[in-house]
Every structure is written in structure tokens, then in C-alpha cells.
Amino acid sequence: MNSIFKMVSIIIFVAFFSCKNQNKSTHLKEEVTPQWKSIFNGTNLDGWTPKINGYQLGYNYKNTFRVENGVLKVSYDEYDLFTEEFGHLFYKTPYSNYKIRLQYRFVDQQVKGGQPWAAKNSGIMIHCQPPQTMLLKQGFPISLEAQLLGGVQRGEARSSGNLCTPGTHVEINAKKITEHCIESTGKTYYDNEWITAEVVVTKDSITHYIDHIPVISYSNPSIGGEFLETTSKEIQDKEGQALTGGYISLQSESHPIEFKNIEILEF
């Protein structure tokens, strides 16, 4: 009887600590699960640095990038005329494997002087060169652009979520693509509604999503192609080099646009 009691006690003891360790292990596993992190505080541009064509890094020409009512705005109300002041607002941290998502919408009218192709045109630039390596007069960083477009004329398709490749090449279905812009399967948005855009970067494969729908995928990005000749010799010497990471920036191309809920999830 005493032996049976001891055996039962041992079984209970082992079961108790086994459950305790299992709970501890589960708890630790939950703690390391990747979480979405906001990279825009909704109050100011802390953590973000502008680089506008023709101006030094950090100079926010005519208050192009600003924050109002929790929204990051690209605005041209202080411009008299747009003369190729293409701009990019860089986040402070480079990334390699991650998801970035945000909401965007085009508002108001394009500033006077903007090119017709730039109407309702902006982008999320990924794998950007370090902003401090950009030339004073360099309109676009070496990068991959998840192009954000809006419909201008009713009935005229203009898909959002396209890929543009300033100074870069990619592969689609194992074929090298050298065109500057590749059209996605995204739909056309004619109005000023908020739209969700997401870019998923996994090792050397990238997919753009518009309103949670995948619209284009590509892989093996590298430095090369159109716009490379407008960059520094330091960047030009890297032609053919694989792009495995880089900075994120938001684009200004002459049409007012707003961004909010900018989040990143690292793998």
C-alpha cells in the first residue's frame, strides 16, 4: 500500500513539473513571435529624413513632408511651380526580411509643373541605397518601387501596385526583366478612398499586395539599368550586385498624397 502511494506521488510530481515546463516553453514561444511595429508616430517626422532633388539630405523643401491630424502628408501648397523636386522620405533603419504595410490615398490636384505621368503617382521604395550616398541632384534612389497609382480618367485603367526599377533589375518567372516599370494585376482606384498597400520581402523574393490581394511577385533584385548613370560612382561600381536589403522611403512626385498606419513586421 505504501509503495503504491509513493508511486502515485511520483507520477503526480512528474506530471506537475512537466505541465509547468510546457507552459513556460509555450509562454517563451509566444514572446518571440514577430509583432507588427509602427514606424510612424502620427505626431511628427521623428525617424524619417527627407531627400529632395536639388537639396541637401534633411532639408524639407517648402514643407513637402508634414504630419497633420495623425496623417503623414505629401503637400505642395507652398509651391508656386514644381520643377523636378522629386522627393523621398527615408526611414532610419535598413531592413532585409520583413513586411511593410500602410494606407494611402491621393487628394486634391497635382501641383502646377508636374508631369502628366506623375498625376496620382507615388510609391513605397524598398531596398533603397543609403540616403547619405545620394547625389545633390539625384531624383530617385537606387531601389525597387511598389508604385502607387490612382485613376485619372474614368474608364482608363491604371493599375496600382506596379513595380518600377530605378537603377535595378529583377527576375520574373526566372527571366531577367530590364523594363523600368512592370504592370501589376492591381485594380484601378479613381476616387480618394483609403487603400491598403503591403510589400512582403522574404530573402530574395518580393510580392506587392493592394487591399490584401497579391498583384505582382518578383525575385533576385540587383543593381543595374536605367537611372544608374545618374548616381554616384560608388553606386555605379556596384552594377550587377545582388540587392538583399536596404532602406525604405515614401515618394513625392508632384501629386498630394497621404499615408497613415505605417507598420513593419520583421522576420
Side-chain angles (χ1 to χ4, degrees):
M1 185 70 177
N2 192 36
S3 297
I4 295 174
F5 177 78
K6 286 182 179 180
M7 185 175 294
V8 171
S9 298
I10 291 171
I11 292 172
I12 293 173
F13 178 83
V14 170
F16 173 78
F17 279 97
S18 176
C19 290
K20 188 174 181 180
N21 289 335
Q22 185 176 3
N23 289 336
K24 184 178 179 180
S25 175
T26 302
H27 180 65
L28 289 173
K29 185 177 180 180
E30 289 175 352
E31 288 183 343
V32 298
T33 300
Q35 299 292 321
W36 285 98
K37 178 185 75 172
S38 175
I39 58 174
F40 168 55
N41 64 22
T43 303
N44 53 43
L45 294 176
D46 284 357
W48 297 83
T49 302
K51 174 61 182 82
I52 295 176
N53 186 31
Y55 298 91
Q56 294 288 349
L57 177 68
Y59 182 62
N60 192 8
Y61 176 72
K62 292 190 179 294
N63 200 23
T64 301
F65 299 101
R66 63 186 73 168
V67 179
E68 296 176 359
N69 300 318
V71 173
L72 196 164
K73 296 185 176 183
V74 176
S75 180
Y76 301 95
D77 58 5
E78 296 183 19
Y79 284 61
D80 295 319
L81 184 70
F82 185 89
T83 55
E84 297 194 346
E85 291 91 356
F86 300 110
H88 297 82
L89 186 67
F90 284 83
Y91 189 61
K92 63 183 180 180
T93 305
Y95 294 100
S96 294
N97 296 300
Y98 62 96
K99 297 180 183 180
I100 180 171
R101 70 182 178 193
L102 54 75
Q103 290 177 291
Y104 73 94
R105 67 175 179 181
F106 292 100
V107 295
D108 303 325
Q109 299 298 314
Q110 185 182 23
V111 65
K112 183 179 179 181
Q115 296 294 319
W117 56 262
K120 289 191 174 182
N121 188 340
S122 186
I124 304 168
M125 322 296 281
I126 66 167
H127 284 8
C128 295
Q129 68 183 94
Q132 63 269 22
T133 67
M134 289 185 67
L135 301 177
L136 183 70
K137 293 186 177 180
Q138 182 179 339
F140 305 91
I142 299 304
S143 58
L144 303 166
E145 177 186 356
Q147 187 184 49
L148 309 177
L149 290 178
V152 176
Q153 298 291 334
R154 290 281 175 182
E156 186 176 303
R158 203 162 182 251
S159 59
S160 194
N162 300 337
L163 166 66
C164 291
T165 56
T168 53
H169 291 314
V170 301
E171 292 181 5
I172 297 179
N173 297 325
K175 179 182 177 182
K176 187 174 183 179
I177 305 297
T178 58
E179 290 93 337
H180 175 52
C181 286
I182 301 94
E183 191 170 323
S184 75
T185 59
K187 63 179 288 188
T188 302
Y189 297 87
Y190 295 98
D191 300 315
N192 295 347
E193 69 266 45
W194 285 105
I195 302 159
T196 299
E198 183 175 336
V199 183
V200 178
V201 183
T202 306
K203 294 184 178 178
D204 60 357
S205 298
I206 300 165
T207 300
H208 301 175
Y209 292 76
I210 297 294
D211 275 344
H212 313 292
I213 298 172
V215 296
I216 192 169
S217 295
Y218 51 95
S219 61
N220 299 322
S222 60
I223 296 174
E226 193 174 352
F227 292 106
L228 188 61
E229 69 279 2
T230 64
T231 64
S232 67
K233 186 68 165 57
E234 174 189 355
I235 299 298
Q236 293 172 24
D237 286 345
K238 295 180 180 180
E239 183 169 6
Q241 179 176 304
L243 274 174
T244 57
Y247 289 81
I248 293 168
S249 68
L250 302 176
Q251 194 175 64
S252 61
E253 284 196 307
S254 74
H255 198 115
I257 186 172
E258 298 179 347
F259 300 97
K260 67 178 182 179
N261 301 326
I262 307 171
E263 299 177 301
I264 195 158
L265 185 151
E266 289 189 85
F267 303 139

